Amino acid sequence: MSEYIYSEEELSSLVSHRLIPQLQERSVLLLTGPLGAGKTSLVKELLKQVGVEDIITSPTYSYVNRYSSQSYENIYHFDLYRLNSEEEFFMNGFDEMFRAQKSLVIVEWPKVIESYLQSKNVVSCELSYLIDCLEKRKIKIS
């Protein structure tokens, strides 16, 4: 596990030097942390760097947004904050998106599907605030 402290200005460098290299052999990225810790900001920067040209928004109400780029045929960005159960995840067919070839799956709030994810090769990012410096965030990547 690696831990980094960064500001908004340092996010681009953190994504390109620390996060993207971790994803080269993995296709599932899990993001955890409290509301407002920077999960969606991290996703926006990551998708920009892998070549997504669309407007990137949080899928809070739709559960999932789909993008594509030259690097990844399919990029699925999930926000499972409002999902009530793993059963609801399967009933919506979301598990099929984890099987797509040449894809990157990003999951905010993955706890509800924790048991399903145990069989996946994942990169986990835990984001948090710094109590003594609200302009900076801490990220643990494993």
Side-chain angles (χ1 to χ4, degrees):
M1 177 182 349
S2 301
E3 185 174 302
Y4 306 97
I5 299 195
Y6 66 96
S7 65
E8 188 175 333
E9 295 79 24
E10 298 166 317
L11 182 59
S12 177
S13 177
L14 175 97
V15 168
S16 64
H17 293 45
R18 304 294 182 206
L19 184 56
I20 288 177
Q22 298 290 322
L23 297 175
Q24 289 178 351
E25 295 182 20
R26 299 176 179 161
S27 61
V28 179
L29 174 64
L30 308 180
L31 302 174
T32 60
L35 286 169
K39 294 179 292 295
T40 300
S41 295
L42 183 74
V43 170
K44 286 180 178 182
E45 182 61 34
L46 171 62
L47 296 188
K48 182 176 108 180
Q49 288 194 29
V50 298
V52 172
E53 295 177 358
D54 298 330
I55 294 173
I56 300 160
T57 59
S58 177
T60 302
Y61 297 101
S62 62
Y63 294 118
V64 64
N65 288 341
R66 184 189 170 279
Y67 305 97
S68 63
S69 71
Q70 289 186 351
S71 302
Y72 296 99
E73 212 171 277
N74 297 293
I75 300 170
Y76 299 105
H77 175 202
F78 285 91
D79 183 331
L80 302 182
Y81 183 75
R82 298 179 325 105
L83 197 72
N84 295 312
S85 67
E86 191 173 73
E87 181 180 317
E88 190 176 345
F89 174 80
F90 289 114
M91 285 176 50
N92 282 296
F94 294 149
D95 58 309
E96 298 198 16
M97 295 173 196
F98 282 72
R99 293 191 282 273
Q101 296 295 316
K102 296 182 183 177
S103 68
L104 171 62
V105 178
I106 303 165
V107 184
E108 296 185 46
W109 304 98
K111 188 163 182 61
V112 72
I113 59 168
E114 213 167 42
S115 64
Y116 172 71
L117 293 170
Q118 289 177 354
S119 65
K120 305 292 176 213
N121 191 15
V122 302
V123 173
S124 294
C125 293
E126 179 184 342
L127 290 94
S128 59
Y129 304 100
L130 291 182
I131 294 171
D132 57 342
C133 184
L134 296 177
E135 297 84 35
K136 297 230 177 194
R137 301 288 190 257
K138 179 168 44 173
I139 185 170
K140 295 179 185 175
I141 303 173
S142 58

PDB file of all heavy atoms in Angstrom, residues 28 30 86 89-90 98 107 110-124:
ATOM      1  N   VAL A  28     -10.327  -2.948 -12.525  1.00  0.00           N
ATOM      2  CA  VAL A  28     -11.335  -2.501 -11.567  1.00  0.00           C
ATOM      3  C   VAL A  28     -10.670  -1.578 -10.544  1.00  0.00           C
ATOM      4  O   VAL A  28      -9.678  -1.936  -9.917  1.00  0.00           O
ATOM      5  CB  VAL A  28     -12.004  -3.694 -10.847  1.00  0.00           C
ATOM      6  CG1 VAL A  28     -13.030  -3.198  -9.827  1.00  0.00           C
ATOM      7  CG2 VAL A  28     -12.661  -4.629 -11.851  1.00  0.00           C
ATOM      8  N   LEU A  30     -11.543   0.703  -7.169  1.00  0.00           N
ATOM      9  CA  LEU A  30     -12.510   0.956  -6.092  1.00  0.00           C
ATOM     10  C   LEU A  30     -12.135   2.232  -5.369  1.00  0.00           C
ATOM     11  O   LEU A  30     -10.967   2.430  -5.007  1.00  0.00           O
ATOM     12  CB  LEU A  30     -12.509  -0.206  -5.097  1.00  0.00           C
ATOM     13  CG  LEU A  30     -12.694  -1.603  -5.680  1.00  0.00           C
ATOM     14  CD1 LEU A  30     -12.668  -2.643  -4.563  1.00  0.00           C
ATOM     15  CD2 LEU A  30     -13.972  -1.689  -6.480  1.00  0.00           C
ATOM     16  N   GLU A  86     -26.577  -6.123  -2.707  1.00  0.00           N
ATOM     17  CA  GLU A  86     -25.877  -6.797  -3.783  1.00  0.00           C
ATOM     18  C   GLU A  86     -26.876  -7.413  -4.764  1.00  0.00           C
ATOM     19  O   GLU A  86     -26.658  -7.427  -5.973  1.00  0.00           O
ATOM     20  CB  GLU A  86     -24.955  -7.869  -3.197  1.00  0.00           C
ATOM     21  CG  GLU A  86     -24.000  -8.452  -4.206  1.00  0.00           C
ATOM     22  CD  GLU A  86     -22.993  -9.383  -3.573  1.00  0.00           C
ATOM     23  OE1 GLU A  86     -23.392 -10.505  -3.195  1.00  0.00           O
ATOM     24  OE2 GLU A  86     -21.826  -8.990  -3.452  1.00  0.00           O
ATOM     25  N   PHE A  89     -27.809  -4.990  -7.289  1.00  0.00           N
ATOM     26  CA  PHE A  89     -26.704  -4.857  -8.249  1.00  0.00           C
ATOM     27  C   PHE A  89     -26.847  -5.903  -9.355  1.00  0.00           C
ATOM     28  O   PHE A  89     -26.764  -5.586 -10.536  1.00  0.00           O
ATOM     29  CB  PHE A  89     -25.381  -5.033  -7.482  1.00  0.00           C
ATOM     30  CG  PHE A  89     -24.148  -5.059  -8.322  1.00  0.00           C
ATOM     31  CD1 PHE A  89     -23.576  -3.889  -8.780  1.00  0.00           C
ATOM     32  CD2 PHE A  89     -23.539  -6.262  -8.637  1.00  0.00           C
ATOM     33  CE1 PHE A  89     -22.415  -3.903  -9.548  1.00  0.00           C
ATOM     34  CE2 PHE A  89     -22.385  -6.300  -9.397  1.00  0.00           C
ATOM     35  CZ  PHE A  89     -21.820  -5.121  -9.850  1.00  0.00           C
ATOM     36  N   PHE A  90     -27.091  -7.160  -8.978  1.00  0.00           N
ATOM     37  CA  PHE A  90     -27.243  -8.237  -9.963  1.00  0.00           C
ATOM     38  C   PHE A  90     -28.534  -8.098 -10.760  1.00  0.00           C
ATOM     39  O   PHE A  90     -28.557  -8.355 -11.967  1.00  0.00           O
ATOM     40  CB  PHE A  90     -27.184  -9.609  -9.283  1.00  0.00           C
ATOM     41  CG  PHE A  90     -25.815  -9.955  -8.790  1.00  0.00           C
ATOM     42  CD1 PHE A  90     -25.565 -10.069  -7.429  1.00  0.00           C
ATOM     43  CD2 PHE A  90     -24.764 -10.176  -9.672  1.00  0.00           C
ATOM     44  CE1 PHE A  90     -24.294 -10.391  -6.968  1.00  0.00           C
ATOM     45  CE2 PHE A  90     -23.498 -10.495  -9.224  1.00  0.00           C
ATOM     46  CZ  PHE A  90     -23.264 -10.597  -7.865  1.00  0.00           C
ATOM     47  N   PHE A  98     -18.602  -5.827 -15.616  1.00  0.00           N
ATOM     48  CA  PHE A  98     -17.299  -6.219 -15.074  1.00  0.00           C
ATOM     49  C   PHE A  98     -16.627  -7.272 -15.964  1.00  0.00           C
ATOM     50  O   PHE A  98     -15.458  -7.557 -15.794  1.00  0.00           O
ATOM     51  CB  PHE A  98     -17.454  -6.778 -13.660  1.00  0.00           C
ATOM     52  CG  PHE A  98     -17.644  -5.712 -12.614  1.00  0.00           C
ATOM     53  CD1 PHE A  98     -18.839  -5.014 -12.533  1.00  0.00           C
ATOM     54  CD2 PHE A  98     -16.643  -5.409 -11.718  1.00  0.00           C
ATOM     55  CE1 PHE A  98     -19.030  -4.036 -11.574  1.00  0.00           C
ATOM     56  CE2 PHE A  98     -16.816  -4.430 -10.754  1.00  0.00           C
ATOM     57  CZ  PHE A  98     -18.008  -3.743 -10.686  1.00  0.00           C
ATOM     58  N   VAL A 107     -15.571   2.088  -9.310  1.00  0.00           N
ATOM     59  CA  VAL A 107     -16.701   1.953  -8.393  1.00  0.00           C
ATOM     60  C   VAL A 107     -16.503   2.852  -7.179  1.00  0.00           C
ATOM     61  O   VAL A 107     -15.587   2.648  -6.381  1.00  0.00           O
ATOM     62  CB  VAL A 107     -16.893   0.497  -7.915  1.00  0.00           C
ATOM     63  CG1 VAL A 107     -18.145   0.389  -7.048  1.00  0.00           C
ATOM     64  CG2 VAL A 107     -16.950  -0.463  -9.086  1.00  0.00           C
ATOM     65  N   PRO A 110     -18.102   1.028  -2.970  1.00  0.00           N
ATOM     66  CA  PRO A 110     -18.200  -0.390  -3.353  1.00  0.00           C
ATOM     67  C   PRO A 110     -18.634  -1.347  -2.236  1.00  0.00           C
ATOM     68  O   PRO A 110     -18.838  -2.527  -2.503  1.00  0.00           O
ATOM     69  CB  PRO A 110     -16.772  -0.724  -3.797  1.00  0.00           C
ATOM     70  CG  PRO A 110     -15.923   0.170  -2.944  1.00  0.00           C
ATOM     71  CD  PRO A 110     -16.711   1.453  -2.829  1.00  0.00           C
ATOM     72  N   LYS A 111     -18.805  -0.872  -1.028  1.00  0.00           N
ATOM     73  CA  LYS A 111     -19.068  -1.764   0.111  1.00  0.00           C
ATOM     74  C   LYS A 111     -20.247  -2.709  -0.120  1.00  0.00           C
ATOM     75  O   LYS A 111     -20.207  -3.869   0.255  1.00  0.00           O
ATOM     76  CB  LYS A 111     -19.280  -0.957   1.383  1.00  0.00           C
ATOM     77  CG  LYS A 111     -19.362  -1.824   2.624  1.00  0.00           C
ATOM     78  CD  LYS A 111     -19.160  -1.015   3.873  1.00  0.00           C
ATOM     79  CE  LYS A 111     -19.192  -1.840   5.118  1.00  0.00           C
ATOM     80  NZ  LYS A 111     -18.174  -2.863   5.202  1.00  0.00           N
ATOM     81  N   VAL A 112     -21.296  -2.244  -0.773  1.00  0.00           N
ATOM     82  CA  VAL A 112     -22.506  -3.042  -0.966  1.00  0.00           C
ATOM     83  C   VAL A 112     -22.243  -4.287  -1.834  1.00  0.00           C
ATOM     84  O   VAL A 112     -22.978  -5.266  -1.751  1.00  0.00           O
ATOM     85  CB  VAL A 112     -23.659  -2.168  -1.527  1.00  0.00           C
ATOM     86  CG1 VAL A 112     -23.403  -1.796  -2.973  1.00  0.00           C
ATOM     87  CG2 VAL A 112     -25.003  -2.846  -1.364  1.00  0.00           C
ATOM     88  N   ILE A 113     -21.175  -4.267  -2.640  1.00  0.00           N
ATOM     89  CA  ILE A 113     -20.865  -5.434  -3.488  1.00  0.00           C
ATOM     90  C   ILE A 113     -19.521  -6.059  -3.091  1.00  0.00           C
ATOM     91  O   ILE A 113     -18.867  -6.723  -3.892  1.00  0.00           O
ATOM     92  CB  ILE A 113     -20.882  -5.076  -4.993  1.00  0.00           C
ATOM     93  CG1 ILE A 113     -19.880  -3.977  -5.325  1.00  0.00           C
ATOM     94  CG2 ILE A 113     -22.283  -4.716  -5.436  1.00  0.00           C
ATOM     95  CD1 ILE A 113     -19.638  -3.792  -6.816  1.00  0.00           C
ATOM     96  N   GLU A 114     -19.147  -5.866  -1.854  1.00  0.00           N
ATOM     97  CA  GLU A 114     -17.855  -6.341  -1.336  1.00  0.00           C
ATOM     98  C   GLU A 114     -17.604  -7.833  -1.600  1.00  0.00           C
ATOM     99  O   GLU A 114     -16.532  -8.210  -2.052  1.00  0.00           O
ATOM    100  CB  GLU A 114     -17.806  -6.066   0.173  1.00  0.00           C
ATOM    101  CG  GLU A 114     -16.466  -5.759   0.713  1.00  0.00           C
ATOM    102  CD  GLU A 114     -16.584  -5.206   2.132  1.00  0.00           C
ATOM    103  OE1 GLU A 114     -17.386  -5.712   2.944  1.00  0.00           O
ATOM    104  OE2 GLU A 114     -15.855  -4.242   2.408  1.00  0.00           O
ATOM    105  N   SER A 115     -18.575  -8.663  -1.351  1.00  0.00           N
ATOM    106  CA  SER A 115     -18.360 -10.105  -1.544  1.00  0.00           C
ATOM    107  C   SER A 115     -18.171 -10.437  -3.021  1.00  0.00           C
ATOM    108  O   SER A 115     -17.359 -11.295  -3.364  1.00  0.00           O
ATOM    109  CB  SER A 115     -19.490 -10.928  -0.930  1.00  0.00           C
ATOM    110  OG  SER A 115     -20.709 -10.653  -1.577  1.00  0.00           O
ATOM    111  N   TYR A 116     -18.878  -9.768  -3.915  1.00  0.00           N
ATOM    112  CA  TYR A 116     -18.715  -9.989  -5.352  1.00  0.00           C
ATOM    113  C   TYR A 116     -17.303  -9.592  -5.799  1.00  0.00           C
ATOM    114  O   TYR A 116     -16.698 -10.251  -6.637  1.00  0.00           O
ATOM    115  CB  TYR A 116     -19.763  -9.186  -6.128  1.00  0.00           C
ATOM    116  CG  TYR A 116     -19.565  -9.195  -7.621  1.00  0.00           C
ATOM    117  CD1 TYR A 116     -19.794 -10.350  -8.366  1.00  0.00           C
ATOM    118  CD2 TYR A 116     -19.127  -8.065  -8.294  1.00  0.00           C
ATOM    119  CE1 TYR A 116     -19.604 -10.369  -9.746  1.00  0.00           C
ATOM    120  CE2 TYR A 116     -18.940  -8.072  -9.666  1.00  0.00           C
ATOM    121  CZ  TYR A 116     -19.177  -9.226 -10.381  1.00  0.00           C
ATOM    122  OH  TYR A 116     -18.977  -9.246 -11.741  1.00  0.00           O
ATOM    123  N   LEU A 117     -16.777  -8.531  -5.226  1.00  0.00           N
ATOM    124  CA  LEU A 117     -15.478  -8.003  -5.637  1.00  0.00           C
ATOM    125  C   LEU A 117     -14.300  -8.840  -5.156  1.00  0.00           C
ATOM    126  O   LEU A 117     -13.191  -8.695  -5.660  1.00  0.00           O
ATOM    127  CB  LEU A 117     -15.330  -6.561  -5.138  1.00  0.00           C
ATOM    128  CG  LEU A 117     -16.274  -5.558  -5.779  1.00  0.00           C
ATOM    129  CD1 LEU A 117     -16.209  -4.234  -5.038  1.00  0.00           C
ATOM    130  CD2 LEU A 117     -15.955  -5.376  -7.250  1.00  0.00           C
ATOM    131  N   GLN A 118     -14.524  -9.747  -4.204  1.00  0.00           N
ATOM    132  CA  GLN A 118     -13.429 -10.553  -3.671  1.00  0.00           C
ATOM    133  C   GLN A 118     -12.753 -11.392  -4.738  1.00  0.00           C
ATOM    134  O   GLN A 118     -11.576 -11.711  -4.626  1.00  0.00           O
ATOM    135  CB  GLN A 118     -13.922 -11.437  -2.527  1.00  0.00           C
ATOM    136  CG  GLN A 118     -14.232 -10.651  -1.283  1.00  0.00           C
ATOM    137  CD  GLN A 118     -14.789 -11.520  -0.175  1.00  0.00           C
ATOM    138  OE1 GLN A 118     -15.051 -12.697  -0.368  1.00  0.00           O
ATOM    139  NE2 GLN A 118     -14.960 -10.931   0.990  1.00  0.00           N
ATOM    140  N   SER A 119     -13.458 -11.745  -5.779  1.00  0.00           N
ATOM    141  CA  SER A 119     -12.876 -12.570  -6.840  1.00  0.00           C
ATOM    142  C   SER A 119     -12.267 -11.736  -7.962  1.00  0.00           C
ATOM    143  O   SER A 119     -11.794 -12.279  -8.947  1.00  0.00           O
ATOM    144  CB  SER A 119     -13.956 -13.491  -7.423  1.00  0.00           C
ATOM    145  OG  SER A 119     -14.959 -12.714  -8.051  1.00  0.00           O
ATOM    146  N   LYS A 120     -12.257 -10.418  -7.808  1.00  0.00           N
ATOM    147  CA  LYS A 120     -11.759  -9.520  -8.854  1.00  0.00           C
ATOM    148  C   LYS A 120     -10.355  -9.020  -8.512  1.00  0.00           C
ATOM    149  O   LYS A 120      -9.990  -8.883  -7.356  1.00  0.00           O
ATOM    150  CB  LYS A 120     -12.688  -8.312  -9.030  1.00  0.00           C
ATOM    151  CG  LYS A 120     -14.125  -8.648  -9.305  1.00  0.00           C
ATOM    152  CD  LYS A 120     -14.285  -9.279 -10.658  1.00  0.00           C
ATOM    153  CE  LYS A 120     -15.714  -9.710 -10.897  1.00  0.00           C
ATOM    154  NZ  LYS A 120     -15.829 -10.882 -11.705  1.00  0.00           N
ATOM    155  N   ASN A 121      -9.600  -8.733  -9.550  1.00  0.00           N
ATOM    156  CA  ASN A 121      -8.291  -8.125  -9.402  1.00  0.00           C
ATOM    157  C   ASN A 121      -8.513  -6.615  -9.376  1.00  0.00           C
ATOM    158  O   ASN A 121      -8.870  -6.033 -10.395  1.00  0.00           O
ATOM    159  CB  ASN A 121      -7.408  -8.552 -10.583  1.00  0.00           C
ATOM    160  CG  ASN A 121      -5.970  -8.202 -10.379  1.00  0.00           C
ATOM    161  OD1 ASN A 121      -5.552  -7.885  -9.276  1.00  0.00           O
ATOM    162  ND2 ASN A 121      -5.201  -8.238 -11.440  1.00  0.00           N
ATOM    163  N   VAL A 122      -8.342  -5.989  -8.228  1.00  0.00           N
ATOM    164  CA  VAL A 122      -8.727  -4.590  -8.069  1.00  0.00           C
ATOM    165  C   VAL A 122      -7.572  -3.721  -7.580  1.00  0.00           C
ATOM    166  O   VAL A 122      -6.631  -4.203  -6.957  1.00  0.00           O
ATOM    167  CB  VAL A 122      -9.917  -4.421  -7.105  1.00  0.00           C
ATOM    168  CG1 VAL A 122     -11.128  -5.207  -7.572  1.00  0.00           C
ATOM    169  CG2 VAL A 122      -9.555  -4.789  -5.690  1.00  0.00           C
ATOM    170  N   VAL A 123      -7.695  -2.439  -7.872  1.00  0.00           N
ATOM    171  CA  VAL A 123      -6.886  -1.398  -7.247  1.00  0.00           C
ATOM    172  C   VAL A 123      -7.845  -0.653  -6.336  1.00  0.00           C
ATOM    173  O   VAL A 123      -8.929  -0.247  -6.769  1.00  0.00           O
ATOM    174  CB  VAL A 123      -6.285  -0.431  -8.291  1.00  0.00           C
ATOM    175  CG1 VAL A 123      -5.592   0.738  -7.601  1.00  0.00           C
ATOM    176  CG2 VAL A 123      -5.319  -1.164  -9.198  1.00  0.00           C
ATOM    177  N   SER A 124      -7.467  -0.489  -5.082  1.00  0.00           N
ATOM    178  CA  SER A 124      -8.316   0.223  -4.127  1.00  0.00           C
ATOM    179  C   SER A 124      -7.684   1.556  -3.765  1.00  0.00           C
ATOM    180  O   SER A 124      -6.487   1.629  -3.503  1.00  0.00           O
ATOM    181  CB  SER A 124      -8.495  -0.600  -2.855  1.00  0.00           C
ATOM    182  OG  SER A 124      -9.209  -1.767  -3.128  1.00  0.00           O
TER     183      SER A 124
END
